[in-house]
Amino acid sequence: QVQLVESGGGSVQPGGSLKLSCVGSGFIFGNHAMAWVRQAPGKALEWVSGISTGLRRGYSDSVKDRFVIDRDNANSTLYLQMNDLRPEDTAVYYCTKTRYYTFPGYITSQGTQVTVSS
């Protein structure tokens, strides 16, 4: 059974940083592209970033140059380092196992809340 568990969210002031983690189990983590998606209240789901099995990385225009995605296949963990956070980054963040790293995939987890506010 595929399981993804996110952690690392919280409340920060604008300009702050957070690092999200996502531990996967029930599948061979290193064999799959992974992605981070987010959903803000009243807004559509947004693909934020993705990473391929070969470590190709992609970012949405809204987070490019501020966020960094990485993976540790040995520990089945996906990361998202978020820097220079803005109020518009406030959302629930989910990690997904996806067919292609620029695809959002399907949400199967609880997510982690990120709130950016002064």
Side-chain angles (χ1 to χ4, degrees):
Q1 178 178 345
V2 172
Q3 189 172 16
L4 297 166
V5 180
E6 302 94 343
S7 63
S11 295
V12 295
Q13 294 186 338
S17 298
L18 283 173
K19 186 173 184 177
L20 306 184
S21 300
C22 170
V23 178
S25 60
F27 65 104
I28 302 174
F29 187 85
N31 286 0
H32 293 273
M34 300 293 294
W36 287 98
V37 300
R38 67 186 181 186
Q39 188 155 32
K43 294 190 176 181
L45 193 68
E46 178 188 10
W47 174 86
V48 173
S49 182
I51 185 167
S52 73
T53 57
L55 302 183
R56 293 183 69 181
R57 295 169 171 84
Y59 301 93
S60 67
D61 288 342
S62 61
V63 308
K64 197 172 184 179
D65 298 327
R66 298 188 297 123
F67 290 11
V68 178
I69 191 170
D70 207 355
R71 65 190 300 162
D72 176 356
N73 292 337
N75 290 298
S76 299
T77 303
L78 179 71
Y79 299 102
L80 186 68
Q81 175 68 48
M82 305 187 296
N83 301 317
D84 189 24
L85 284 161
R86 303 168 180 171
E88 53 265 38
D89 294 319
T90 295
V92 179
Y93 285 71
Y94 304 90
C95 67
T96 64
K97 180 170 72 73
T98 181
R99 194 170 185 86
Y100 193 67
Y101 73 104
T102 58
F103 291 179
Y106 296 100
I107 293 174
T108 60
S109 53
Q110 295 292 322
T112 186
Q113 175 71 48
V114 171
T115 302
V116 185
S117 173
S118 55

